Amino acid sequence: MIQIPFLRPNLVKHEALIPYLKEIEDSRLYSNFGPLNTRFEKQVMNQYFDNDGAVITVNNATIGLILALSQIRKSKGKYVLMPSFTFAATPLAAIWSGLEPYFVDINSDNWSMNESLLKDCLEKLGDDVAAVLPYATFGTNMDLKFYKKIHESGVPVVVDAAASFGAIKDQIHFGKGFPGFVVFSFHATKSFGVGEGGLIYSGNKDLISKIRQAENFGFSSNRETNLLGLNGKISEYTAAIALATLDVYEQKMNVRQQIYHWYLNELEQKGLFDKGWQVQKTEGGIPHQFMPICCPEGKNNSDIIQSLANLNIEARTYFSPTCHQQPLFKSYQHATLQVTENLSKRILSLPLWEEMTIQDVKRIVEGMGLS
Ligand SMILES: *Cc1c(COP(=O)(O)O)cnc(C)c1O
């Protein structure tokens, strides 16, 4: 029997939803950017983006990435440059947008795309590049300066920020002011979990207006379709959960950050860093969806998963296999992926969920020390 599961999603309880559900019954508006959805978008802009730019909700981040890519890709380009060390949704979004993923290696410290290798690819591929799609790995506040520059130089950038909602550095929310698209996920397993949902931000309001049209069947103001749209809207019920989640999100993030610090302390005290264990180099405050950690060179993550399982502790290996190692993505092109391939043998995802205790963390770290 599993005693410490990998994740234990903890969405807002039904009591918190009741006032919002009553509003839905009264308004008789159930979708189509209804009043709760509008209120949620306004509150997010107020509380997290200082009303700089615009946001729109979307029914999941995968659809969000597809919509974003489709709207800003260079029409003659063919490749979307992205890391292989990401979730399958990232390359899938490129393929659904009629493009090809092209995988670029990551840095060995922050596990985000290597900018100098990316630059080489941009030079080599030139006009064949349709867009660049970096991933803010595990919710980190990656520096977007370089990506802002390439976006403004004419290579469109969409950031996969699936796990980053609530990530803050120097009191600025991740992505604020970014002129391309930034796509967040609200899946139940993400820290801001509503079930299924997501959010697209841009510092450029016109880009968000385009998404608003695209995710409502491409309808223009006179309800004629004039662009390749789809249905990407959330219902008012999802908006209700999102509003109730906003009310408690700071608290949720604090709890997650506390657990993360327990991990760091235990790892330090048990001397695991001296033995070659490595955590991601992160920046700012992040919402910590789970606890990624890299085991020492020469060890295999699968062995450690097994020894933790023997102690009834469930761990995973995001992202191993990496994208380019999976059947659907194998045939797509890539540059050298040395760091990605090394990390894929060593990466582990440890449990992190809101009701975890310091004793749980101690047991997990002890278990790793034994392996
Ligand atoms: C969760 C995740 C997604 C997909 O989000 P959905 O809302 O489930 O579609 C995309 N990219 C990354 C990196 C993710 O972790």
Side-chain angles (χ1 to χ4, degrees):
M1 202 197 80
I2 293 291
Q3 279 165 13
I4 307 183
F6 171 55
L7 289 184
R8 222 174 151 219
N10 178 36
L11 273 62
V12 283
K13 301 294 174 228
H14 73 274
E15 293 87 354
L17 300 176
I18 289 170
Y20 297 112
L21 297 181
K22 282 217 169 74
E23 282 188 55
I24 298 174
E25 283 185 2
D26 291 344
S27 75
R28 301 263 190 123
L29 295 167
Y30 300 98
S31 183
N32 291 6
F33 308 123
L36 294 188
N37 181 73
T38 303
R39 207 193 308 164
F40 176 70
E41 290 176 356
K42 284 207 168 117
Q43 278 193 27
V44 166
M45 283 310 299
N46 238 320
Q47 290 174 23
Y48 290 94
F49 294 102
D50 302 322
N51 295 310
D52 174 0
V55 291
I56 180 165
T57 55
V58 63
N59 52 9
N60 61 65
T62 309
I63 293 290
L65 290 169
I66 292 170
L67 287 165
L69 267 181
S70 307
Q71 286 313 307
I72 60 169
R73 56 165 290 186
K74 286 206 300 189
S75 58
K76 297 213 171 81
K78 116 179 200 201
Y79 297 119
V80 183
L81 275 49
M82 64 177 70
S84 172
F85 192 73
T86 180
F87 188 58
T90 324
L92 282 173
I95 300 170
W96 275 105
S97 307
L99 299 165
E100 292 183 26
Y102 188 110
F103 300 113
V104 179
D105 211 356
I106 50 173
N107 301 310
S108 56
D109 54 359
N110 65 5
W111 308 338
S112 298
M113 195 149 54
N114 181 313
E115 292 172 7
S116 99
L117 294 176
L118 173 61
K119 222 159 140 187
D120 295 345
C121 288
L122 286 169
E123 270 163 31
K124 183 176 127 195
L125 301 170
D127 288 339
D128 285 341
V129 176
V132 174
L133 212 176
Y135 164 43
T137 310
F138 304 132
T140 188
N141 283 281
M142 62 185 279
D143 191 341
L144 292 177
K145 238 185 274 126
F146 173 77
Y147 292 104
K148 182 165 186 255
K149 217 167 69 192
I150 59 176
H151 182 85
E152 286 169 345
S153 79
V155 183
V157 177
V158 175
V159 181
D160 184 334
S164 298
F165 188 74
I168 284 182
K169 189 180 156 196
D170 303 330
Q171 294 176 38
I172 297 173
H173 190 279
F174 179 71
K176 185 184 160 226
F178 188 71
F181 284 118
V182 185
V183 181
F184 303 94
S185 171
F186 294 163
H187 188 262
T189 55
K190 302 296 200 283
S191 300
F192 193 101
V194 303
E196 291 281 0
L199 187 81
I200 309 178
Y201 168 85
S202 178
N204 177 346
K205 291 183 183 178
D206 294 341
L207 285 182
I208 294 298
S209 302
K210 273 184 153 179
I211 300 284
R212 204 172 291 281
Q213 183 180 350
E215 73 171 59
N216 191 28
F217 311 103
F219 282 159
S220 64
S221 48
N222 58 356
R223 293 183 71 78
E224 284 176 2
T225 295
N226 61 8
L227 60 84
L228 182 64
L230 48 72
N231 181 359
K233 293 164 292 174
I234 63 167
S235 84
E236 285 286 276
Y237 293 102
T238 298
I241 304 172
L243 278 166
T245 307
L246 262 192
D247 295 339
V248 295
Y249 193 47
E250 294 294 325
Q251 242 166 291
K252 280 175 172 287
M253 280 194 291
N254 286 340
V255 170
R256 289 176 171 276
Q257 282 165 4
Q258 169 69 263
I259 299 167
Y260 174 76
H261 286 287
W262 287 339
Y263 265 117
L264 292 188
N265 274 338
E266 284 305 310
L267 289 161
E268 180 82 60
Q269 280 183 19
K270 291 267 161 358
L272 264 62
F273 294 131
D274 300 332
K275 291 184 187 154
W277 291 77
Q278 188 194 329
V279 291
Q280 181 188 17
K281 179 170 172 262
T282 57
E283 301 190 36
I286 66 179
H288 299 295
Q289 186 192 358
F290 48 77
M291 178 72 199
I293 188 164
C294 173
C295 69
E297 189 82 58
K299 285 203 188 226
N300 258 325
N301 46 11
S302 50
D303 297 337
I304 293 158
I305 298 273
Q306 190 50 52
S307 44
L308 287 174
N310 295 342
L311 300 168
N312 298 316
I313 297 164
E314 183 185 35
R316 298 275 168 85
T317 56
Y318 292 103
F319 298 100
S320 176
T322 58
C323 289
H324 78 284
Q325 294 164 337
Q326 300 181 38
L328 186 77
F329 308 121
K330 257 189 188 136
S331 56
Y332 291 101
Q333 293 192 57
H334 58 78
T336 144
L337 293 171
Q338 229 175 312
V339 178
T340 304
E341 287 183 353
N342 179 286
L343 188 60
S344 86
K345 293 186 197 119
R346 296 165 59 198
I347 193 73
L348 276 168
S349 328
L350 301 175
L352 198 164
W353 36 272
E354 287 158 29
E355 295 113 317
M356 264 175 79
T357 63
I358 192 163
Q359 278 71 33
D360 293 332
V361 172
K362 282 178 194 272
R363 262 187 64 195
I364 296 164
V365 174
E366 239 155 37
M368 285 153 53
L370 297 173
S371 57

